[in-house]
Amino acid sequence: MVQIHVKLASEKGGYQEWAMIELQGTLETRNPIPFSGRFIGDLHFTHKDVPILIIGHHILYGKVVTLEKPYGILVKDAEVTDRAPGAGQTSYTIRAVIRKKLLFKTRPKPIIANVPKKV
Amino acid sequence: MEIVNKRTLDEIDSVLEFAKLGRDEIKSVTQSIYFSEQLDSEGIKLLELDTAVLTALENGERVIIRGDKEDSAVLCTESETFEVKLGEVSNALLIVPDMTLGSELTDTLLPSIQYQQVNSVMHTFYELRKMKPRLQKLRSLLEENPYAGQAAEGDVDHQGTKYTFNELLNLVQGSEREIKIALEKMQAIVIDGYWRVLDFDFLVQVMSHLLQLCDENSWLDQGIPIQECLSVLQDIFPRTVIEHVLKNFADKITPATGKDDDEKHMQIDIDYYRLNEDKVCRFFAEQILKHARKFNLSQFLSTWEKSVPDGMKTSVSQLEGIALIDRDSNPEVISYMTVDTLPEEISERFNHLFRIREKWSLPEITPYIKDLTTDKMDVTAMLTKYARASTLNGIKVYNSRKPIS
């Protein structure tokens, strides 16, 4: 039977706390390769900490959601070479944990753009 | 992490203008989000972390995912087992490691920009569902080579594989603690580093020697002095086996004159065991039932009564979980049925039980389903879900919800 060890990152102060945005629908994210490096949008927060995301011609209002169960980000460890203990075993390290997400569920409001006066 | 074409405040402001969003409505820091140059959605996996699992990880416990080609994967902490399932989301999950939530943003006097990167876009994640470990395999592994005494170890029937604890961990989908508990329930024993179950006939031999010794020394009343007992029997049987039998069929007696002050003890503490009437009588019942499987009830009861040691009393309650009594047949019959031969999966278990007998009362069915209870589902809840209740002759009975094939 395959046995995969899972552990928390221990170097450099342990695992990190990361964040996440959940977007309804796919927008332009299904084919990420041509999009490497591309700009997505601006994220603002109101004074009541409501997140607002402006992507292209759409403005999305969202909310901060605390995850019922945090997500662990698992990264596969490099294969151990022959003579070391635990050789041949697969293992994963949890590099980060995500406890909250910004959820954008409401239908994006299109921004009616005038001809830009100046860019 | 170089971002080319960094957005400027001017660009942000013009978008805000089009969006009719005033600067006074928002905090001063804007996070401009980009896809990373090294966007990689295959290199990481998302795993939902149940509190128990995260706690186990934080405590440095061993957490292992185990999978077989046939079985699905399970995740085991040192004491719990979880099913690992792949979940899909229709939404896109953008992982932005350094993104700051509004509540954590320090408002500055002047507008400013933070540049953030999405390093992965995920559409799947792994979720954990707590489950009872799959332990039936454990029993079948140990039954490949039951222990029948040192002399028998060399013979042709005892060349089957023997397993150490680590080997069992590798073959059974369960956590260490759950496997240890199951081994104890099975009355398994470690002999020469291997976990073994005792061959039943061998156990009968050990018991009969023990009982004879007890009879000769009047130990049934006084209690069995363990060291003396071991010194007599260890010539015939390994010490570990005798200790094991005592542990499983007798109770340790706390000396009545026990003093708290250990230093003043000048006498050697003698440990006594008293045979447990219920466990011994049950054992004798099993001996009889195993031979013929089905019996005329009254014949069985009288044979049983006569077989148990003098001074011990039999009672039908001792048969719970090992025998099924049919009071509807004429004459009444009793048959051998133990819970460990029944299907592990809950709906299969109920199917099996209803195939054997159409209607069950609560006391009849409980011994054969209570091993499947969880903290979320007790016997009553199980019956509500998997059976249909009705009343027969004033007694509540349960039958199948669907036709049994």
Side-chain angles (χ1 to χ4, degrees):
Chain A
M1 189 158 58
V2 175
Q3 298 223 57
I4 300 171
H5 290 254
V6 179
K7 56 190 181 340
L8 290 174
S10 48
E11 336 82 25
K12 290 187 253 172
Y15 66 86
Q16 298 178 347
E17 300 270 344
W18 283 3
M20 173 168 101
I21 293 176
E22 183 171 338
L23 289 176
Q24 190 168 57
T26 58
L27 288 187
E28 305 158 297
T29 56
R30 281 282 182 200
N31 263 328
I33 297 117
F35 295 93
S36 292
R38 283 259 289 251
F39 170 67
I40 302 172
D42 293 325
L43 175 67
H44 306 279
F45 281 92
T46 66
H47 295 291
K48 293 217 174 101
D49 295 327
V50 174
I52 303 175
L53 191 57
I54 307 183
I55 299 183
H57 297 293
H58 296 105
I59 177 166
L60 301 107
Y61 289 83
K63 58 179 180 168
V64 178
V65 174
T66 304
L67 298 179
E68 223 180 273
K69 293 185 194 179
Y71 279 130
I73 303 276
L74 268 63
V75 178
K76 194 169 179 180
D77 296 326
E79 291 272 323
V80 180
T81 54
D82 304 273
R83 270 173 278 117
Q89 274 185 354
T90 315
S91 64
Y92 281 80
T93 299
I94 297 180
R95 294 249 158 254
V97 171
I98 298 175
R99 297 181 199 268
K100 294 192 185 185
K101 65 182 177 188
L102 297 184
L103 176 62
F104 292 94
K105 246 183 10 171
T106 55
R107 285 181 62 204
K109 273 163 66 172
I111 300 169
I112 299 155
N114 300 318
V115 173
K117 297 184 183 94
K118 97 166 187 239
V119 174
Chain B
M1 215 201 74
E2 264 308 305
I3 297 178
V4 287
N5 302 324
K6 277 191 175 169
R7 265 174 96 60
T8 61
L9 279 170
D10 277 347
E11 289 171 312
I12 294 176
D13 281 339
S14 64
V15 171
L16 284 172
E17 212 185 297
F18 292 131
K20 299 197 174 47
L21 198 53
R23 274 255 169 225
D24 54 328
E25 298 173 68
I26 57 175
K27 290 189 165 174
S28 56
V29 179
T30 299
Q31 296 176 80
S32 289
I33 307 185
Y34 291 74
F35 283 114
S36 162
E37 286 285 356
Q38 285 91 36
L39 185 63
D40 173 18
S41 307
E42 316 297 320
I44 66 165
K45 296 199 192 304
L46 290 183
L47 175 67
E48 235 181 21
L49 297 170
D50 280 48
T51 313
V53 176
L54 189 50
T55 309
L57 286 163
E58 283 170 341
N59 289 338
E61 263 182 54
R62 223 181 349 258
V63 173
I64 300 187
I65 297 178
R66 299 195 166 103
D68 227 335
K69 281 151 233 126
E70 306 112 39
D71 304 320
S72 53
V74 294
L75 181 145
C76 299
T77 61
E78 281 173 13
S79 59
E80 291 178 87
T81 307
F82 298 84
E83 202 179 351
V84 180
K85 306 199 93 163
L86 187 64
E88 276 193 39
V89 267
S90 53
N91 297 344
L93 303 177
L94 277 60
I95 311 295
V96 194
D98 302 315
M99 182 172 69
T100 322
L101 296 181
S103 52
E104 294 150 13
L105 286 173
T106 34
D107 238 340
T108 53
L109 267 180
L110 296 173
S112 61
I113 313 171
Q114 276 181 13
Y115 297 96
Q116 303 289 7
Q117 301 198 36
V118 172
N119 63 7
S120 309
V121 179
M122 309 297 290
H123 294 280
T124 59
F125 65 99
Y126 289 93
E127 58 175 343
L128 299 176
R129 212 171 291 174
K130 182 146 156 75
M131 60 177 262
K132 278 188 133 20
R134 297 181 189 122
L135 297 173
Q136 214 153 39
K137 200 171 175 188
L138 190 60
R139 177 171 285 277
S140 54
L141 288 173
L142 293 185
E143 281 175 357
E144 281 175 24
N145 193 349
Y147 182 79
Q150 280 308 118
E153 287 286 83
D155 74 25
V156 61
D157 292 325
H158 293 91
Q159 300 313 308
T161 318
K162 297 187 290 203
Y163 300 93
T164 62
F165 189 72
N166 279 330
E167 287 168 338
L168 290 174
L169 266 187
N170 225 350
L171 292 165
V172 176
Q173 288 186 333
S175 68
E176 278 187 44
R177 195 184 76 155
E178 288 164 318
I179 291 176
K180 283 206 175 105
I181 292 172
L183 287 169
E184 271 187 42
K185 274 213 182 110
M186 246 183 262
Q187 297 188 353
I189 175 178
V190 177
I191 296 176
D192 291 335
Y194 296 103
W195 278 93
R196 314 287 294 277
V197 282
L198 294 180
D199 172 271
F200 193 80
D201 293 330
F202 173 69
L203 181 58
V204 168
Q205 276 180 50
V206 178
M207 279 294 277
S208 84
H209 273 88
L210 177 64
L211 288 168
Q212 192 176 341
L213 196 59
C214 286
D215 196 37
E216 286 166 11
N217 293 291
S218 307
W219 281 344
L220 286 180
D221 296 318
Q222 301 167 16
I224 307 166
I226 187 168
Q227 292 307 323
E228 200 181 323
C229 173
L230 284 172
S231 66
V232 173
L233 291 177
Q234 69 188 353
D235 292 332
I236 318 170
F237 304 114
R239 259 182 102 94
T240 41
V241 170
I242 307 162
E243 283 170 337
H244 176 83
V245 169
L246 282 173
K247 199 180 80 161
N248 285 301
F249 290 93
D251 309 306
K252 209 163 185 197
I253 311 171
T254 12
T257 53
K259 291 176 175 43
D260 287 6
D261 195 351
D262 282 295
E263 285 163 6
K264 293 228 184 95
H265 258 141
M266 289 206 280
Q267 287 172 309
I268 300 165
D269 261 318
I270 301 176
D271 280 336
Y272 281 88
Y273 275 85
R274 180 168 291 129
L275 285 173
N276 182 303
E277 184 179 61
D278 288 338
K279 290 180 182 174
V280 173
C281 288
R282 187 186 169 93
F283 178 71
F284 277 91
E286 241 187 311
Q287 266 183 268
I288 303 168
L289 288 166
K290 266 186 190 237
H291 282 294
R293 302 274 146 167
K294 207 169 196 164
F295 264 94
N296 172 304
L297 179 65
S298 50
Q299 275 178 18
F300 167 80
L301 290 172
S302 69
T303 309
W304 184 29
E305 181 68 51
K306 293 194 195 104
S307 72
V308 299
D310 284 334
M312 288 200 182
K313 284 198 74 215
T314 59
S315 144
V316 173
S317 63
Q318 294 160 347
L319 302 173
E320 213 187 76
I322 59 168
L324 206 52
I325 296 175
D326 189 353
R327 296 195 187 272
D328 290 330
S329 68
N330 196 359
E332 293 177 326
V333 288
I334 181 169
S335 33
Y336 184 51
M337 184 164 104
T338 54
V339 73
D340 29 73
T341 51
L342 299 177
E344 229 177 353
E345 198 276 312
I346 196 166
S347 52
E348 274 179 54
R349 168 79 60 99
F350 274 93
N351 279 350
H352 186 101
L353 290 174
F354 288 127
R355 218 177 281 131
I356 292 173
R357 174 183 286 189
E358 208 189 315
K359 292 188 198 294
W360 294 73
S361 69
L362 183 63
E364 286 172 336
I365 202 171
T366 303
Y368 295 107
I369 58 174
K370 69 178 183 191
D371 60 308
L372 297 178
T373 53
T374 61
D375 7 277
K376 293 210 176 87
M377 184 153 57
D378 62 4
V379 169
T380 318
M382 260 197 277
L383 286 167
T384 308
K385 184 167 178 186
Y386 293 95
R388 185 177 294 131
S390 54
T391 318
L392 188 64
N393 300 330
I395 306 173
K396 192 170 191 181
V397 289
Y398 296 91
N399 55 351
S400 177
R401 277 181 175 274
K402 50 187 179 166
I404 294 292
S405 49

